[in-house]
Amino acid sequence: MNLAQGSIGGNTGLNIGIFLVFVAITLVVVFRASKNTKTAADYYAGGHAFTGPQNGIAISGDYLSAASFLGIAGAIALYGYDGFLYSIGFLVAWLVALLLVAELLRNTGKYTMGDVLAFRMRQRPVRAAAATSTLVVSFFYLLAQMAAAGLLVALLLGVTDKGGQAVVITIVGLLMITYVLIGGMKGTTWVQIIKAALLITGAAVITVWVLTKYGLNLSGLLGAAADAHPKGDQILNPGLQYGTDGTSKLNFLSLGLALVLGTAGLPHILMRFYTVPTAKEARRSVVWAIWLIGIFYLFTLVLGFGAAAIVGRDKIAKADPGGNAAAPMLADALGGSFLLGIISAIAFATILAVVAGLTITASASFAHDIYANIIKKGEVDDKDAEVRVARRTAVVIGILAIGGGIAANGQNVAFLVALAFAVAASANLPTILYSLFWKRFNTSGALWSIYGGLIVCVGLIVFSPAVSGNSKAMFPGADFDWFPLSNPGIVSIPVSFLLGWIGTVLSKEHDQKKYAEMEVRSLTGIGAEKAVGH
Amino acid sequence: MTTTEQKPDWEEVQASPDFVLLRRRLRRFVFPMAGLFLVWYLLYVLLADYAPGFMSTRLFGNINIGLVFGLLQFVSTFVITMLYVRHANKNLDPVAEKIRNEVESRGEEK
């Protein structure tokens, strides 16, 4: 995803108008949600009062970011089958969350990943580590979304100068801060629900439209896409994007690993499991999310090949070499400027909702883990103080995201998202799994795994071809790319698991009583479920 | 977490037959299933990565093995999800609820 080469036209006024309607409706919803957002549980977890289906829709809203909507459809339009591979990793990953993480996490924590780790380990060091990796992952993910906002305005509104794009990034950032400050988790969740409904409906309409054009025959659509594509039949086969040489094949394997193991370590996804009252509802939310996300990715398959067949690869690549224009251009070709306006507005809404979700996660982690439990040692006198700190943190993170987004504008968006997944899979997932399932695991193991995974993962990225050594890199002039893969997961994930094990056996710390309590609570929901009635 | 709660003896609960049963039922389902879907997914990624010729074999019309294999990943994800939900509702939830009720009522009696 490089900087867009040109706008794809459409009616700019209409695009903005539809987007403003979305903003107006969601603001009303957020204001209404704010009336009963008072305590920390309200602000961080929507009072644990959402139902499984509501939360499941919100999870899909959080997860289906602009990168997956525009990016995957675009990748399929340009590279065919290889784009489809992405969506499979993104979906299968949810089984890790369903089988191993969601319910146990719901039963052992309150608001953050740090809660789970701190249960039977030394509070302050593990909370600091959990907050560090949460902030790093959230920040990379935020940068990616903000950079995508810049790209999108260039594409859809024809704002091509950097100054104009910076203004739009700032507006997106300010709106997001407003949502988070006013609505807390409750308001943010409703924004996700509305956005997910719009996104999935929009994609469904275009999918049916495309399929109807080809007599509801997938094979016919694929044939038309292949005929229109310069590479012909090759787009129906794997290998067009990743099959060029040994390194690119290994790179793909590494990416596949990070995708499937990263999802259950993404902090803004983990935090969503706390918005429901019980583990059973957490399970229902993941089931809803899996169905919605799965069906959505099936739609993107049709959207991508539909764009290749109807719009044509060359036109899409000319608008944006990264292919992000594929879905909007398809909408334009089918339904004219009105449908384009709707899809553009949905794309903006997507970015807005995802950045709001990330900001609330990062601010919760700072206020709950660092402020309340490390600085104040778990004894915050004033009950409102923690929420006040969380709100201030949200403002700071929002401003950082605006600044970072303006700086990252024009950077490779897919790379930033893949980076967030790789860091989540390396720094978070091993610790979460060890903590929930391994009796012997301890503070030392957690610290080795989180910091080790984080350092190895980010370190390998710094020395990868994504950062230096070629014309597409972040610093094309510099040359220190001694690590050949731009996706570090294949090395950093096993290393993090190994470090967690080494760190654990090197330390004598082992609290049998605490582990018994954690295991019983995590499997039965004692305490966690009853607290709801109070 | 709750206000009424007397500290239960967690190690005693952990050693109780009900809890041992609950843990065994959970782990005997989720560990093999997690292994299964990861291997199945990796098989798919490796085939797409290193055996593109096989994956490109046409089955009918423009539908090739790769596409069917990919769609089967969706199917397997949906199926595993449904199997797990059925297992949890039938075999996990009742035991968890029984333990929870016992522990929480014991806490209130004291």
Side-chain angles (χ1 to χ4, degrees), chain A residues 283-321:
Chain A
R283 181 192 311 148
R284 285 179 75 201
S285 26
V286 181
V287 171
W288 272 76
I290 286 176
W291 282 103
L292 291 173
I293 292 166
I295 290 166
F296 181 83
Y297 284 143
L298 291 175
F299 291 160
T300 57
L301 182 68
V302 176
L303 294 185
F305 280 117
I310 294 167
V311 182
R313 184 214 172 266
D314 292 342
K315 262 174 88 179
I316 297 168
K318 202 177 155 216
D320 169 36

Side-chain angles (χ1 to χ4, degrees), chain A residues 204-519:
Chain A
V205 168
I206 302 184
T207 299
V208 173
W209 202 321
V210 169
L211 282 177
T212 314
K213 261 185 169 295
Y214 293 93
L216 299 178
N217 179 349
L218 184 64
S219 173
L221 168 65
L222 296 178
D227 288 342
H229 199 281
K231 296 270 185 186
D233 279 0
Q234 279 182 332
I235 67 162
L236 305 181
N237 306 333
L240 204 55
Q241 186 178 12
Y242 294 107
T244 46
D245 56 40
T247 310
S248 75
K249 287 180 178 183
L250 205 58
N251 211 359
F252 177 71
L253 185 61
S254 187
L255 174 72
L257 214 55
L259 295 184
V260 82
L261 297 176
T263 300
L266 289 175
H268 64 296
I269 297 296
L270 295 175
M271 199 170 166
R272 293 229 58 89
F273 299 138
Y274 296 122
T275 64
V276 291
T278 62
K280 198 177 163 101
E281 291 298 311
R283 181 192 311 148
R284 285 179 75 201
S285 26
V286 181
V287 171
W288 272 76
I290 286 176
W291 282 103
L292 291 173
I293 292 166
I295 290 166
F296 181 83
Y297 284 143
L298 291 175
F299 291 160
T300 57
L301 182 68
V302 176
L303 294 185
F305 280 117
I310 294 167
V311 182
R313 184 214 172 266
D314 292 342
K315 262 174 88 179
I316 297 168
K318 202 177 155 216
D320 169 36
N324 294 292
M329 286 174 94
L330 176 64
D332 191 34
L334 291 173
S337 57
F338 183 69
L339 193 58
L340 171 65
I342 291 186
I343 293 302
S344 313
I346 290 176
F348 267 110
T350 293
I351 292 181
L352 199 54
V354 174
V355 289
L358 287 162
T359 304
I360 200 154
T361 305
S363 70
S365 183
F366 182 83
H368 184 65
D369 289 325
I370 295 184
Y371 172 78
N373 283 297
I374 297 179
I375 299 177
K376 292 286 176 185
K377 298 177 184 161
E379 291 158 10
V380 183
D381 328 315
D382 178 3
K383 287 237 180 254
D384 301 328
E386 191 181 321
V387 177
R388 214 160 45 231
V389 170
R391 289 204 156 108
R392 282 182 202 152
T393 315
V395 175
V396 173
I397 291 168
I399 292 168
L400 283 175
I402 293 171
I406 292 172
N409 189 9
Q411 287 294 340
N412 187 316
V413 176
F415 154 68
L416 290 169
V417 171
L419 179 64
F421 269 82
V423 176
S426 315
N428 292 352
L429 189 74
T431 316
I432 293 171
L433 291 182
Y434 279 147
S435 179
L436 290 171
F437 292 104
W438 188 22
K439 190 159 51 175
R440 177 79 173 79
F441 194 53
N442 55 30
T443 308
S444 157
L447 298 180
W448 278 56
S449 178
I450 293 180
Y451 288 124
L454 195 62
I455 291 167
V456 170
C457 186
V458 175
L460 288 179
I461 289 164
V462 168
F463 296 107
S464 79
V467 172
S468 74
N470 63 73
S471 59
K472 284 185 187 164
M474 196 183 278
F475 304 107
D479 190 8
F480 45 85
D481 59 325
W482 53 262
F483 184 69
L485 307 177
S486 37
N487 295 297
I490 201 168
V491 177
S492 63
I493 299 169
V495 164
S496 177
F497 273 104
L498 186 69
L499 287 176
W501 179 77
I502 295 175
T504 301
V505 296
L506 285 181
S507 158
K508 287 207 173 62
E509 181 199 4
H510 176 51
D511 190 338
Q512 181 58 42
K513 276 198 167 56
K514 265 299 190 192
Y515 179 69
E517 179 179 353
M518 180 168 179
E519 194 180 47

Side-chain angles (χ1 to χ4, degrees), chain A residues 81 84-85 87-89 91-92 95-96 98-100 103-104 107-109 119 218-220 222-223 233 236-239 242 246 248-250 252-253 256-257 259-261 280 283 287 290-291 294-295 297-298 301 436-438 512-517 519-521 523-531 534, chain B residues 1-5 7-8 10-11 13-14 19 22-23 26-27 29-31 33-34 37-38 41-42 44-52 55-58 60-71 73-74 76-78 80-82 84-85 88-89 92-93 95-97 99-100 103-105 108:
Chain A
Y81 190 85
F84 183 47
L85 284 163
S87 52
I88 290 169
L91 174 69
V92 172
L95 289 175
V96 181
L98 176 73
L99 298 178
L100 301 174
E103 296 173 44
L104 306 181
N107 279 339
T108 40
F119 200 102
L218 184 64
S219 173
L222 296 178
D233 279 0
L236 305 181
N237 306 333
Y242 294 107
S248 75
K249 287 180 178 183
L250 205 58
F252 177 71
L253 185 61
L257 214 55
L259 295 184
V260 82
L261 297 176
K280 198 177 163 101
R283 181 192 311 148
V287 171
I290 286 176
W291 282 103
I295 290 166
Y297 284 143
L298 291 175
L301 182 68
L436 290 171
F437 292 104
W438 188 22
Q512 181 58 42
K513 276 198 167 56
K514 265 299 190 192
Y515 179 69
E517 179 179 353
E519 194 180 47
V520 172
R521 279 188 192 271
L523 265 63
T524 62
I526 293 171
E529 311 232 333
K530 218 178 161 202
H534 288 249
Chain B
M1 291 200 190
T2 53
T3 45
T4 53
E5 196 177 308
K7 279 252 164 191
W10 296 109
E11 284 177 284
V13 181
Q14 192 189 31
F19 188 80
L22 175 63
R23 177 173 49 198
L26 175 80
R27 293 193 169 198
F29 186 91
V30 298
F31 288 164
M33 207 52 112
F37 84 73
L38 281 176
Y41 169 75
L42 281 179
Y44 168 71
V45 171
L46 287 171
L47 280 177
D49 218 5
Y50 294 100
M55 296 293 255
S56 307
T57 313
R58 294 288 177 97
F60 51 89
N62 294 306
I63 311 289
N64 57 24
I65 291 182
L67 187 72
V68 171
F69 220 127
L71 294 174
Q73 292 284 329
F74 282 74
S76 62
T77 302
F78 293 144
I80 291 174
T81 303
M82 290 190 290
Y84 172 71
V85 169
N89 287 341
L92 302 180
D93 287 350
V95 188
E97 204 180 316
I99 300 170
R100 192 165 64 236
V103 172
E104 289 180 348
S105 65
E108 275 159 11

Side-chain angles (χ1 to χ4, degrees), chain A residues 2-9 78 151 154-156 160 311-326 328-329:
Chain A
N2 289 312
L3 192 66
Q5 303 293 297
S7 142
I8 57 173
L78 297 189
L151 187 104
L155 227 47
L156 302 174
T160 43
V311 182
R313 184 214 172 266
D314 292 342
K315 262 174 88 179
I316 297 168
K318 202 177 155 216
D320 169 36
N324 294 292
M329 286 174 94

